[in-house]
């Protein structure tokens, strides 16, 4: 029941974000984040419609699709991003580091980690300044079990470009190694270096920091971070699931059920569906638990 918040899920969530350095959705205080991302999608779709061979516009469009997929949980945006990347590489198959970096991110999403590693290395070779590609290289190595190489890569990237993206990777790597104090410090550094230009990335970091505290049994700290995630990105579905997770751990089953139900009705993420089943089971509502597990 305390479940659906294992370190493995935290790692999965990290990897699903891909490189973490794709173009973000900068927003003003008056524009909802998803609306701003929709505007970016519309703009670049129009550019591509005018010139289908414009590989720069195709790369920007793919990045916008990836960002919207992260914000909404709509996996069809990853399919759209893949189509844009394929068109970009068809237009310019050689010196196109942006397309290879995005391809690596999408391969990461599909858990094609060996292919992601190869694509990210191509991107990094074509553009040595591309931190996103180098992060994806390290992410793929971590997923492939090459932990020491990944950890060394994260350390190097933090030294080279301290940021939310690099420190957050280092935080997860420290937690995997059992270095909890170092992991906590890395999360603090991640948020202190966050430029707040991408509300979804800020919310994601608070959510993952909340998971870190939840894994240590510190429910108060976890709840605070989940609340911070909701503040950074209003309506953030993962923050809602985090709040449900804390309610379940506190044995407030009715509140947990209501929150998980709201979350799964918006996006049926498997971990949230399973967690809702766990809460139903803990509340003695076994038939409803079985329905969630079957789903």
């Amino acid at each position: 029941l305390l479940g659906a918040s294992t370190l493995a899920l935290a790692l999965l969530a990290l990897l699903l974000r891909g490189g973490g350095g794709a173009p973000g959705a900068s927003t003003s205080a008056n524009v909802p984040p998803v609306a701003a991302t929709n505007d970016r999608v519309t703009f670049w779709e129009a550019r591509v419609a005018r010139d289908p061979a414009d590989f720069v516009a195709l790369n920007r469009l793919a990045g916008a699709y990836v960002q919207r997929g992260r914000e909404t949980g709509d996996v069809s945006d990853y399919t759209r991003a893949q189509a844009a990347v394929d068109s970009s590489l068809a237009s310019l198959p050689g010196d196109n580091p942006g397309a290879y970096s995005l391809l690596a991110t999408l391969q990461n999403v599909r858990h094609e980690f060996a292919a992601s590693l190869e694509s990210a290395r191509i991107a990094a070779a074509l553009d040595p300044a591309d931190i996103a590609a180098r992060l994806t290289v390290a992410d793929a190595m971590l997923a492939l079990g090459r932990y020491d190489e990944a950890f060394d890569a994260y350390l190097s990237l933090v030294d080279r470009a301290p940021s939310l993206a690099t420190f957050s990777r280092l935080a997860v790597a420290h937690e995997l190694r059992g270095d909890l104090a170092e992991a906590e410090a890395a999360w603090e550094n991640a948020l202190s270096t966050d430029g707040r230009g991408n509300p979804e990335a800020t919310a994601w970091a608070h959510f993952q920091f909340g998971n870190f505290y939840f894994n240590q049994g510190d429910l108060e700290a976890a709840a605070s971070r989940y609340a911070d995630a909701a503040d950074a990105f209003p309506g953030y579905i993962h923050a809602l699931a985090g709040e449900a997770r804390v309610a379940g751990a506190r044995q407030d089953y009715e509140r947990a059920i209501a929150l998980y139900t709201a979350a799964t009705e918006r996006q049926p993420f498997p971990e949230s569906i399973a967690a809702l089943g766990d809460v139903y089971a803990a509340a003695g509502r076994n038939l409803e638990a079985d329905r969630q597990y079957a789903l």
Side-chain angles (χ1 to χ4, degrees), residues 85-98:
V85 168
D86 290 343
S87 295
S88 177
L89 287 171
S91 178
L92 183 64
D95 188 14
N96 194 345

Side-chain angles (χ1 to χ4, degrees), residues 223-262:
S224 177
R225 288 298 173 179
Y226 295 145
D228 289 338
D231 287 341
F233 193 108
Y236 193 50
I237 192 168
H238 299 298
L240 184 63
E243 188 178 352
R245 182 177 302 161
V246 171
R250 289 172 170 163
Q251 300 184 3
D252 186 352
Y253 299 136
E254 291 307 311
R255 177 169 174 74
I257 287 168
L259 291 167
Y260 272 130
T261 298

Side-chain angles (χ1 to χ4, degrees), residues 25-288:
S26 296
T27 64
S28 73
N30 297 320
V31 181
V34 175
T37 304
N38 283 334
D39 288 345
R40 289 174 58 222
V41 167
T42 299
F43 175 83
W44 291 112
E45 283 179 339
R47 283 281 298 270
V48 169
R50 289 197 298 271
D51 182 1
D54 185 345
F55 70 93
V56 173
L58 285 162
N59 290 345
R60 296 293 181 86
L61 178 58
Y65 282 140
V66 168
Q67 181 62 41
R68 190 170 66 181
R70 291 171 181 166
E71 292 174 355
T72 66
D74 183 352
V75 296
S76 64
D77 268 328
Y78 296 119
T79 302
R80 296 182 184 99
Q82 183 66 59
V85 168
D86 290 343
S87 295
S88 177
L89 287 171
S91 178
L92 183 64
D95 188 14
N96 194 345
Y100 282 109
S101 184
L102 285 159
L103 176 61
T105 293
L106 292 165
Q107 290 166 330
N108 219 346
V109 169
R110 296 192 297 268
H111 290 193
E112 298 168 1
F113 298 122
S116 177
L117 178 59
E118 180 179 355
S119 298
R121 281 177 164 164
I122 292 172
L126 289 171
D127 182 4
D130 186 352
I131 298 299
R134 293 183 178 278
L135 277 170
T136 307
V137 167
D139 291 346
M141 289 192 295
L142 192 70
L144 292 168
R146 296 164 59 173
Y147 301 121
D148 289 341
E149 292 174 87
F151 185 74
D152 289 343
Y154 291 141
L155 282 175
S156 175
L157 286 165
V158 162
D159 287 340
R160 179 176 174 179
S163 67
L164 180 72
T166 55
F167 271 119
S168 62
R169 299 311 203 286
L170 185 61
V172 172
H174 275 308
E175 189 176 0
L176 282 169
R177 293 161 66 98
D179 299 330
L180 301 184
E182 293 290 342
E184 184 176 23
W187 278 121
E188 294 286 1
N189 286 331
L191 289 163
S192 71
T193 55
D194 179 20
R196 304 292 194 273
N198 184 337
E200 180 270 336
T202 300
W204 173 85
H206 281 296
F207 170 71
Q208 291 298 334
F209 200 2
N211 287 346
F212 168 81
Y213 282 125
F214 188 92
N215 291 339
Q216 314 314 317
D218 189 341
L219 298 184
E220 291 296 328
S224 177
R225 288 298 173 179
Y226 295 145
D228 289 338
D231 287 341
F233 193 108
Y236 193 50
I237 192 168
H238 299 298
L240 184 63
E243 188 178 352
R245 182 177 302 161
V246 171
R250 289 172 170 163
Q251 300 184 3
D252 186 352
Y253 299 136
E254 291 307 311
R255 177 169 174 74
I257 287 168
L259 291 167
Y260 272 130
T261 298
T264 57
E265 285 177 349
R266 284 180 51 197
Q267 284 294 333
F269 293 115
E271 59 269 26
S272 293
I273 295 170
L276 177 55
D278 290 345
V279 175
Y280 274 131
R285 297 164 62 173
N286 293 326
L287 288 176
E288 290 158 300

